[in-house]
Amino acid sequence: MLHRTAAVTAALVITLVSVTGCAAGPGGTASSATTVAAVPQLDPQVASSLDDALRAVQSSPGVASATNRIELHQRWTAADGTDVTPPGLDAWNNRDAGPAAPPPIGSVSPDDPGLPPVPTPSARPAPPAGATESHSFSSAFVVTMDPDATPSEAAAVPVAMTERIAWTGVTLTLQVPAGPGHVLSSVTYSGTFDQRIPDETALGVASGLATLAATPSVTGLEASIPQTLRVDYGSLTIGVSPADDATLARVRAVIDGTAFAGTTLHGSFGNGAKP
């Protein structure tokens, strides 16, 4: 998709369901007919794995910052499948989470007026009688490289993550800030961390982004890599200026020389022509 605006950074999210009162590892389920609300807690082994992954990324060459924000989620479902979760329950469970990291995936921007903050009730809401309870958690990782980080350094981040977090549902957003000769670039790996991410795949993505970020007339850059790790099944959003046919043709020629060569571009150009 070729746009005139830069891409928006997303965040990493892990969603796992657990036995009552505890957010567990992959494949867990949660249900309880009790009317007593168990306060969600993160399983120590899961928490240790997340901490290990964060420390590994923070110590990687070229990484300027890496954050992790864990949020606990609690849902109540009636017998007919209706969601009867009391409003503000997650806000209460996460009242001490703090604003250190960006919001979980699903939020376009902290300033998005369509996503107002959920107020925290003065008291923890009581669960409805006879409903089924389930717990889950989300862990949002956002990694920012140094502006002069090399593609190899950027590629090492998802590889390090996949060595420590072998779960589906994990999404990594990695950005390289703008620097001399290149614009900011961002890539999101969605649901890929239940498998090994080949070094050549991660390097191909990082190298392609670095090349495009340094291409004249490119003003913004965001890529998404799907769970299949098929780069050509992902998405690529590029801002260009000016958005004329000659500029678009030059950018397309650069794309064809990167790992994103087969990625389908959607939308329309400035003159209304389809890509």
Side-chain angles (χ1 to χ4, degrees):
M1 182 184 293
L2 294 181
H3 290 308
R4 301 185 185 185
T5 58
V8 179
T9 300
L12 177 153
V13 169
I14 306 166
T15 302
L16 302 174
V17 181
S18 72
V19 176
T20 301
C22 189
T29 59
S31 66
S32 173
T34 179
T35 57
V36 178
V39 179
Q41 298 178 23
L42 190 63
D43 181 271
Q45 184 175 356
V46 174
S48 178
S49 296
L50 294 171
D51 288 343
D52 181 46
L54 180 61
R55 287 192 297 268
V57 171
Q58 288 174 330
S59 63
S60 295
V63 171
S65 66
T67 60
N68 174 25
R69 176 172 177 171
I70 296 171
E71 292 192 352
L72 304 175
H73 307 291
Q74 192 170 28
R75 294 290 178 268
W76 291 82
T77 307
D80 62 359
T82 304
D83 186 348
V84 290
T85 305
L89 184 59
D90 277 354
W92 175 265
N93 288 334
N94 295 290
R95 63 194 186 281
D96 299 323
I105 195 169
S107 299
V108 175
S109 166
D111 300 322
D112 189 338
L115 295 169
V118 178
T120 302
S122 57
R124 192 169 187 272
T132 299
E133 179 181 5
S134 63
H135 296 172
S136 63
F137 74 94
S138 62
S139 179
F141 283 68
V142 175
V143 179
T144 301
M145 305 297 295
D146 293 325
D148 59 351
T150 66
S152 294
E153 290 172 335
V157 172
V159 172
M161 294 288 289
T162 196
E163 291 174 348
R164 293 164 174 82
I165 303 178
W167 305 328
T168 57
V170 176
T171 301
L172 167 67
T173 291
L174 176 68
Q175 64 179 12
V176 178
H182 66 87
V183 300
L184 178 149
S185 65
S186 176
V187 59
T188 300
Y189 283 84
S190 301
T192 61
F193 291 91
D194 64 330
Q195 61 194 303
R196 176 179 175 270
I197 298 178
D199 294 351
E200 56 270 22
T201 299
L203 183 58
V205 169
S207 297
L209 289 174
T211 297
L212 290 167
T215 299
S217 300
V218 170
T219 60
L221 182 61
E222 179 183 13
S224 178
I225 310 302
Q227 184 173 352
T228 60
L229 283 177
R230 286 284 302 273
V231 177
D232 54 336
Y233 281 20
S235 66
L236 184 64
T237 303
I238 303 180
V240 294
S241 180
D244 55 60
D245 289 343
T247 300
L248 294 171
R250 287 195 298 271
V251 172
R252 289 291 296 270
V254 175
I255 294 173
D256 289 343
T258 71
F260 300 98
T263 302
T264 302
L265 301 178
H266 305 281
S268 61
F269 297 149
N271 62 2
K274 292 293 181 181

